[in-house]
Amino acid sequence: MTALVTSEQVADRARIDPAHTSADLEYIADEATDIVIGYLKKPDHGWTIETVPPRIRTAIIMVAKALYDDEETVLSDAVKSLLHRDRDPALA
């Protein structure tokens, strides 16, 4: 799966110094995208890095920050709240 955020967006929005973590941030951006898309249950979402809705981008960055900080819960209540209206409840 292709990340829907750039490592630069993650570094900027999550206030992470990109100088020493660029490769890590790319990997984290991929992981965060996968987690959010999995939660939404929309593997065929059709978004690109240019067309992803801002609320989805924000949720991905929030998950990326949680992954970077090695938090126990990456899908916080705030992230779930952002994603709630886009989640497909019909799929298991």
Side-chain angles (χ1 to χ4, degrees):
M1 173 174 299
T2 303
L4 295 175
V5 297
T6 66
S7 59
E8 292 82 11
Q9 287 173 316
V10 172
D12 182 52
R13 293 286 307 281
R15 295 182 175 87
I16 300 168
D17 180 8
H20 58 85
T21 59
S22 184
D24 287 340
L25 287 181
E26 287 179 31
Y27 183 74
I28 288 171
D30 285 340
E31 285 183 316
T33 298
D34 184 60
I35 289 167
V36 168
I37 297 305
Y39 180 77
L40 291 174
K41 303 177 198 173
K42 292 187 177 185
D44 300 322
H45 53 78
W47 297 317
T48 67
I49 205 161
E50 292 84 17
T51 64
V52 64
R55 66 187 171 280
I56 305 299
R57 182 183 314 112
T58 298
I60 292 169
I61 291 170
M62 290 170 71
V63 170
K65 174 70 170 151
L67 289 168
Y68 181 82
D69 290 343
D70 201 24
E71 292 182 10
E72 192 171 310
T73 303
V74 295
L75 278 173
S76 67
D77 288 340
V79 170
K80 289 177 183 178
S81 179
L82 276 173
L83 300 175
H84 178 74
R85 69 178 173 169
D86 294 288
R87 191 164 193 235
D88 187 345
L91 296 176

